[in-house]
Amino acid sequence: MSWIAISGQDIAWVSPDRFGKTAASRDVLMPRGSIVIETRLSPEGRPQTLLSYQRNYPWKGSVSVRAVPGGGIVLVLTQGEEVFHTVLEHSYDERTDVLRVTFSWDSEARWGRITAERPESDAVVVQDTPPPPPFLLEDVYTLVRRPQLVEKDEDVLFFAVSDRIEPVGPMPSLVGQVPVLTPEGYRPVASLRCGDTVRTRDRGAVPVLARVSRQVPALGSFRPVRLRAPYFGLRRDLVVAPYQRLVIGGSEVEYIFGREAVLIPASALVNGFAAVHEEGVQMIRYHQLVLPGHEPIISAEAELESLYVGRLRRRRDRIRHSVLDEVPGNLIPEHARAGLKVLRAFEATTLAEARAA
C-alpha cells in the first residue's frame, strides 16, 4: 500500500483496506509512514497552524504542525507522556509560493526526517529528527474525516498520509500515456526503459539512463494539467504535472524576451487558454526519464524538460530517500542547468496569445 488518507479540495478519503469500520479497530499504532502537507505561506508573515489536533482516548495525544514567521516549521507530537518536538529552518523570501512539508518516521528504526520543498523550484531543505513516536491510526482518521475537531489554516491546499517513507527531491511529471519520440517513432513514456534511446532536437538520439515513477495525490502541486493542442506546437493534448516545463523557442520568444528559448511551467498556462486542470482524479502516477545531459525530450512535436537531478549523485544519503533510490549509482548523471528564463504566468499567457495571433 502507500497512500492511506487524503484531505483537500472537497476530498476526504481514507483507504477502506487500512481503516476498519470501528474506532477500536483503528486504535493501533503506525510505526512507519509519512505525512505530506502543502500550503501557501502567509504573505503577511503571520504564523499559521497547518494542522493541529488533540485527543484524550485511548490515551492523551496530539499532533501540531505550525509555520512561523521567518521561515520555520515547528512539529510537535505527543503520545501519552512522550513529547516529540523538532524545528525545521528554511530560507524563504517569496512567501506567497507553495511550500510542501513532508514528515516521515520509522519508530522501530528510531529515525525521522522533516523536509521543506518548493515544488516550482529545486529548493529542498532536509533535516533528520530525534527518534519520533508512531502515529495512531485513529488520529489519521480524525484528521481527515472529523474536520470539526481539527484546526487547519485556510491556506493549506491538502494533506495526505502514506504508510511508507515517501521520496523527496526531484519528482516525475508525465502521465504514462505521454508520447516520447524515439528513433523508431513515438512511444508512451511508461514503456521506456534503461537502454532505450530517445530523440532530441540538438543532440540526436540519447540513451535513457532510467525511468522513474511515483503515485501521488492529484492535488496541489501534483494536480494534473492538460496542455491543449495546438498551442506551443502541440499535435495532441498532453497531461502533465503543474511543475513540468516546456522548452519554447522561435521568433516570438526572441522578439518578446530577447532570448533563443524560455521555459514555461504547465501551471503558468492554466489561467489562460492553453491549459486546464484535469478534473475527477484522486490519485495519479507520474513518470519521467533520466537522460545524460538533462536534454529536453520531444513529445507531440513540443519539447519537454526531462528529469533534472543536479549533483544529487554526490549525496548518497539524499538519493536513498528520493525516486532515484533504485537507480544504480553509476547511471545517475550530473546535470547543469541551461540557464533559461522561466516565464511567469502573465508572461506565458502573453506568449501564448502572440503565437495564437
Side-chain angles (χ1 to χ4, degrees):
M1 195 172 284
S2 177
W3 300 102
I4 62 171
I6 301 173
S7 175
Q9 298 175 6
D10 298 324
I11 294 176
W13 172 83
V14 294
S15 169
D17 296 330
R18 187 63 192 270
F19 293 85
K21 296 182 179 180
T22 64
S25 65
R26 299 189 291 268
D27 287 341
V28 295
L29 295 174
M30 286 181 61
R32 192 170 187 265
S34 300
I35 181 167
V36 178
I37 305 172
E38 275 201 8
T39 185
R40 288 190 177 92
L41 295 184
S42 168
E44 299 86 16
R46 62 179 173 81
Q48 295 168 283
T49 298
L50 306 185
L51 276 180
S52 182
Y53 160 67
Q54 295 184 5
R55 59 166 159 77
N56 294 312
Y57 179 85
W59 56 79
K60 286 188 176 181
S62 67
V63 177
S64 173
V65 186
R66 289 184 166 86
V68 297
I73 303 295
V74 180
L75 171 63
V76 180
L77 304 174
T78 65
Q79 291 286 8
E81 300 300 319
E82 185 176 3
V83 178
F84 169 85
H85 177 274
T86 191
V87 178
L88 174 67
E89 300 288 350
H90 63 93
S91 175
Y92 201 79
D93 296 326
E94 300 172 301
R95 297 184 60 85
T96 55
D97 287 347
V98 171
L99 187 74
R100 182 189 306 138
V101 178
T102 302
F103 173 62
S104 297
W105 70 93
D106 189 331
S107 300
E108 295 175 351
R110 298 181 60 78
W111 173 88
R113 181 198 67 206
I114 186 169
T115 304
E117 301 175 88
R118 291 172 59 181
E120 72 284 351
S121 75
D122 306 320
V124 182
V125 180
V126 182
Q127 179 178 295
D128 288 341
T129 74
F135 267 64
L136 188 68
L137 197 62
E138 176 68 13
D139 287 347
V140 176
Y141 185 89
T142 296
L143 287 171
V144 174
R145 301 301 293 270
R146 302 186 182 108
Q148 70 276 13
L149 302 179
V150 179
E151 184 180 357
K152 183 179 69 171
D153 194 275
E154 61 183 8
D155 285 324
V156 172
L157 300 174
F158 82 92
F159 69 89
V161 179
S162 167
D163 59 6
R164 297 180 180 176
I165 306 299
E166 290 296 327
V168 296
M171 289 293 156
S173 50
L174 306 174
V175 300
Q177 296 77 26
V178 165
V180 176
L181 186 61
T182 74
E184 295 77 33
Y186 279 106
R187 290 176 54 186
V189 64
S191 71
L192 296 171
R193 301 289 186 271
C194 176
D196 290 335
T197 57
V198 297
R199 294 202 61 82
T200 65
R201 293 219 167 112
D202 294 333
R203 296 190 57 187
V206 299
V208 175
L209 301 179
R211 176 180 56 82
V212 295
S213 66
R214 184 190 180 194
Q215 186 178 46
V216 291
L219 299 172
S221 68
F222 297 124
R223 187 181 181 188
V225 171
R226 177 174 292 273
L227 301 173
R228 298 171 62 191
Y231 296 106
F232 299 110
L234 287 171
R235 295 293 182 86
R236 55 166 282 186
D237 289 4
L238 300 178
V239 179
V240 302
Y243 45 86
Q244 173 65 56
R245 294 168 172 173
L246 291 80
V247 183
I248 303 297
S251 58
E252 299 96 337
V253 172
E254 292 192 45
Y255 177 75
I256 298 173
F257 302 106
R259 299 167 181 263
E260 291 186 2
V262 293
L263 296 173
I264 304 181
S267 59
L269 298 171
V270 171
N271 290 333
F273 40 82
V276 294
H277 279 301
E278 287 285 270
E279 302 295 340
V281 182
Q282 182 167 287
M283 281 188 277
I284 190 165
R285 180 170 292 278
Y286 289 122
H287 305 259
Q288 191 48 282
L289 302 179
V290 180
L291 304 182
H294 185 223
E295 297 88 350
I297 59 176
I298 299 174
S299 179
E301 301 303 314
E303 285 189 287
L304 306 178
E305 264 198 315
S306 58
L307 191 73
Y308 175 75
V309 301
R311 297 183 176 182
L312 198 60
R313 65 175 294 169
R314 304 185 185 188
R315 297 288 306 274
R316 295 302 308 176
D317 58 325
R318 293 276 295 276
I319 289 177
R320 186 165 58 92
H321 299 302
S322 76
V323 293
L324 300 171
D325 182 39
E326 296 184 1
V327 179
N330 63 328
L331 292 180
I332 299 176
E334 288 196 15
H335 289 159
R337 277 293 190 194
L340 300 179
K341 175 182 174 65
V342 180
L343 298 192
R344 291 169 288 182
F346 75 91
E347 294 173 317
T349 300
T350 298
L351 181 57
E353 290 174 343
R355 289 205 157 192

